[in-house]
Amino acid sequence: MSMENKRRLGKSNLMLSPVGLGCWQFDSKGYFEKPVGSVIQGIIDTSVRSGVNWFDTAERYGNSEQILSTILYYFKKTDSDVKIATKWWPMFRTAKNISKTIHDRINNLYPYPISLYQVHNPLSFSNIEKQMQEMSLLWIKGMIKNVGVCNFSAKQMRIAQNVLSWWGIPLASNQVRYSLIDRGIETNGVLDTAKELGISIIASSPLAQGILTGRFHKNPEKLDGVGLRKYSDKFSQTELKKCKDLINIIYYLSTKYNVTSSQVALNWLINKGVFVIPGATTVKQAEENAGAMNFTLSKWDMDILDEESNIFK
Ligand SMILES: NC(=O)c1ccc[n+]([C@@H]2O[C@H](COP(=O)([O-])OP(=O)(O)OC[C@H]3O[C@@H](n4cnc5c(N)ncnc54)[C@H](OP(=O)(O)O)[C@@H]3O)[C@@H](O)[C@H]2O)c1
């Protein structure tokens, strides 16, 4: 069975491809180098043609919501072809702001509905109960189809799920950083709790912002074109050194399967049963990343990767 086959997101009715497209790159204010409009068009078109049926954007990602809906509409994609997940930005705001800003989200994504509405992080002025009550109201009014969260701890997931369940709404997903060099969710209770409650994990930064492709190990002293990413811990010389052996093993496996390093890194996550949303700045990257659905690492090779990346748990 091809891995391209859709999977259910949590206990929702959403059927999504294991690989979605992360849309932060469309407008990240210099964190990544922004691709020009025609390239973004190619990234979206290629992703859909290669079996990707959903997109992860956010209120916080500049104009990425409008860019996405405009291009999907240009390519005549319908709501049954593609699904959009977006996010509410909670910082320095109370839960009331969820209803206040929902019309902006709806307008930006028109004519596509909000298939998944996520709270971007747990840092609102209001508690989780209030946020989830507000999300429930939107769901009841039909303004959003499903509810998700991002960067929530195991305890916070339980609270969110509990409030939503008063209305019979499942908490569909928790989007968290997860990759071969970010395995914290395997030990902090998030992965176990998600499994227990039937909540899907969506892995953000599944390529560790490009590190797992091996690009930055070729010339680690000279991180050209990296943008603001270079200030994040993972791009320090010490951290890059720490994953050097793993990068070599990923490369070795990529030659064995005749795929790329990015495809090995993504397939490892897909095989663990999580959804991945790699971002892309070129059409080639988008094509490669979608191609991670077309093969399966053997159990033996999964074990090797597990063992070599154990230090990142
Ligand atoms: N919920 C949250 O708090 C949160 C946080 C972070 C991200 N996200 C979401 O997750 C998505 C993905 O995370 P991310 O963008 O942080 O990191 P990522 O997907 O791990 O890495 C994306 C970067 O990796 C490089 N890349 C991608 N595919 C490649 C390939 N096939 N070959 C070589 N290089 C490749 C590109 O770098 P270049 O730019 O150098 O080309 C790209 O910008 C975002 O777009 C966003 O939707 C959510």
Side-chain angles (χ1 to χ4, degrees):
M1 195 166 60
S2 158
M3 295 252 278
E4 220 184 90
N5 283 346
K6 313 279 181 286
R7 296 173 176 177
R8 186 175 300 280
L9 189 78
K11 291 179 179 163
S12 77
N13 292 326
L14 264 186
M15 296 301 288
L16 304 178
S17 48
V19 176
L21 179 71
C23 299
W24 186 15
Q25 276 68 12
F26 298 171
D27 199 353
S28 70
K29 311 270 179 270
Y31 198 81
F32 302 96
E33 237 161 81
K34 184 180 170 167
V36 297
S38 56
V39 173
I40 298 180
Q41 236 182 51
I43 289 172
I44 292 175
D45 186 35
T46 300
S47 298
V48 176
R49 283 177 197 276
S50 313
V52 167
N53 82 331
W54 69 288
F55 300 85
D56 178 75
T57 180
E59 173 182 13
R60 190 69 177 168
Y61 302 162
N63 283 323
S64 99
E65 289 179 325
Q66 293 105 310
I67 294 171
L68 176 64
S69 61
T70 308
I71 294 174
L72 287 173
Y73 192 67
Y74 171 80
F75 285 119
K76 299 193 169 53
K77 296 298 159 203
T78 67
D79 172 42
S80 51
D81 301 324
V82 291
K83 307 289 174 199
I84 299 181
T86 191
K87 314 183 189 85
W88 170 68
W89 184 252
M91 283 175 82
F92 305 109
R93 287 168 160 181
T94 65
K96 285 274 167 245
N97 184 266
I98 295 177
S99 293
K100 218 165 141 190
T101 51
I102 190 66
H103 298 285
D104 297 336
R105 309 276 72 63
I106 292 172
N107 288 341
N108 286 350
L109 296 176
Y110 185 82
Y112 302 96
I114 300 172
S115 290
L116 177 68
Y117 201 32
Q118 307 159 99
V119 171
H120 207 139
N121 59 51
L123 302 174
S124 163
F125 281 146
S126 297
N127 62 27
I128 292 169
E129 284 87 345
K130 287 203 177 117
Q131 294 173 56
M132 290 303 128
Q133 276 162 17
E134 210 62 28
M135 290 295 241
S136 303
L137 276 178
L138 299 187
W139 185 87
I140 292 162
K141 292 179 189 166
M143 293 169 134
I144 61 174
K145 302 218 165 183
N146 291 286
V147 180
V149 294
C150 305
N151 306 303
F152 271 38
S153 69
K155 193 174 159 206
Q156 290 164 334
M157 281 164 74
R158 280 187 198 281
I159 299 170
Q161 163 98 323
N162 200 18
V163 179
L164 292 172
S165 68
W166 299 340
W167 305 95
I169 307 170
L171 175 62
S173 54
N174 187 11
Q175 182 180 135
V176 286
R177 205 157 64 166
Y178 188 25
S179 76
L180 273 160
I181 59 167
D182 267 302
R183 293 182 60 189
I185 68 160
E186 292 179 33
T187 50
N188 66 12
V190 167
L191 194 59
D192 288 342
T193 306
K195 276 192 185 142
E196 180 199 324
L197 301 178
I199 297 166
S200 282
I201 293 292
I202 299 174
S204 66
S205 306
L207 296 169
Q209 305 200 324
I211 292 174
L212 291 170
T213 68
R215 278 167 52 197
F216 303 117
H217 282 79
K218 290 193 181 121
N219 200 350
E221 293 80 29
K222 223 170 139 219
L223 295 175
D224 282 340
V226 180
L228 298 173
R229 264 173 297 183
K230 67 170 164 242
Y231 300 111
S232 92
D233 282 358
K234 296 281 179 198
F235 282 83
S236 73
Q237 296 300 317
T238 324
E239 289 298 312
L240 287 175
K241 236 180 237 149
K242 223 163 124 189
C243 58
K244 192 166 166 277
D245 290 347
L246 175 65
I247 297 293
N248 287 334
I249 285 164
I250 295 172
Y251 177 71
Y252 163 77
L253 289 175
S254 76
T255 57
K256 179 174 159 186
Y257 288 84
N258 200 17
V259 297
T260 65
S261 290
S262 71
Q263 291 174 328
V264 170
L266 294 174
N267 195 268
W268 178 81
L269 285 165
I270 296 172
N271 256 336
K272 297 237 172 224
V274 308
F275 291 87
V276 297
I277 44 168
T281 59
T282 65
V283 174
K284 186 165 170 280
Q285 289 179 359
E287 192 173 8
E288 260 182 45
N289 297 344
M293 294 187 278
N294 300 337
F295 75 108
T296 309
L297 289 165
S298 69
K299 177 167 183 321
W300 173 252
D301 291 329
M302 285 293 286
D303 288 348
I304 291 175
L305 287 169
D306 274 349
E307 201 162 310
E308 283 302 322
S309 61
N310 249 332
I311 50 164
F312 300 106
K313 266 186 175 174

